[in-house]
Amino acid sequence: MHKLHISTQFDSGAIEVVQLDRADDIQLRIRKDSAADFAQWFHFCLHGAAFQPVTLRFLNAGDSAYPKGWDGYQVVASYDRQEWTRIDTQFDGQEMTARLTPMAQAVYFAYFEPYSYEQHLDLLASAATSHWVTQQRLGSTVQGRDMTLLRITDEAGTTPIEQKKKVWMIARQHPGETMAEWFVEGFLERLLDADDAVARVLRDRCVFYVVPHMNPDGAVLGNLRTNAAGANLNREWAEPTAERSPEVLLVRQAMLDIGVDLNLDIHGDEGLPYNFVVGSEGTPGYSPRIAALEDAFKVAWAASCPDFQDRHNYGKTAPGQANLTLATNWIAQQFGCLAFTIEMPFKDNADLPDPLVGWSGERSKKLGASVLQPLLQWSA
Ligand code: GEM
Ligand code: ZN
């Protein structure tokens, strides 16, 4: 009989083991972020339970950062760390229980399909092989990892460089929202596709500035929402500091140096089972022009991608009430431009559910590729 064991000593590994005596009563606690009180992300490997009915009890699910995130949510599991599927999961308001009879002696469980730091480095390296891409190291994170910017355009296009629109995309300020980097992977794959007509026109009309990962430290540490200094980066855009939020300080300065005509900030949402956007309607500088650009972008996206919708979202922020520490609001106010937070679900898209995988890395990639369509409409 194999001995039961739970491992977390790997990229984004995170769980606390309370009791591991019996496979049918494994008691766990979701761990807080490394230097903050947010608790939601989990990722671990269970060894030694092959062909035994396993019950995972997340005892403190009701105390997590977003407890409503567990209503209708299902844990993802994988044997090969490539294919992730949803497993039977219940939530009673305090305890979340997931059940599986593993078909192997090692099985991984996570809040959402992970995206490792090695995958991030591979994404950068792969993109940088394109002659349309220039990779720029902006500086270091709190723990010394690279903050990397990809500049993408077709210099040999018909549009003079000074007339090209500056389109920014930043992702994973909240490191546990791994769908954000899957989205960027799909976006880059299509944008760098030599045979894709939409990408070809966009590479001519625009210069893209893409930061695929805003929070590498937090991701490796297994944090949901914060960096290694405990900062929620999406609350640092008004006054970032080198000590607490160098990741924002570096990207924000690059934006100020270069300029911004449009920004997309890619996130995941714990509660709403939909893909949606958040605009900048509450900022002082919000105008009918920006409102019209937002509406046209959403109409074009929904018309070309059934996985996007604008019926379910956070609702509107009252005029002048926007929190300017958030990236979307600070960027919109600073540059007078169109800026969206893009939200994908940890659960599934209730409009187009997939019982096997729910919302997934691959579906996030497809959504990332689809955003070229509204960008084409906007850039005309
Ligand atoms: C969100 S953006 C919050 C916007 N809220 C409203 N009501 N407009 C955040 O940072 O909390 C992005 C995210 O984490 O998904
Ligand atoms: Zn987020």
Side-chain angles (χ1 to χ4, degrees), residues 174 177 225 267-268:
H174 298 137
E177 296 166 8
R225 203 149 172 86
H267 287 257

Side-chain angles (χ1 to χ4, degrees), residues 112-147:
F112 194 83
E113 184 173 355
Y115 199 105
S116 72
Y117 187 57
E118 289 302 312
Q119 283 177 273
H120 166 68
L121 295 178
D122 289 345
L123 178 63
L124 295 177
S126 170
T129 61
S130 165
H131 63 285
W132 294 310
V133 177
T134 305
Q135 184 175 184
Q136 181 184 349
R137 184 182 191 276
L138 297 177
S140 298
T141 65
V142 170
Q143 290 186 324
R145 292 182 176 87
D146 301 336
M147 284 300 294

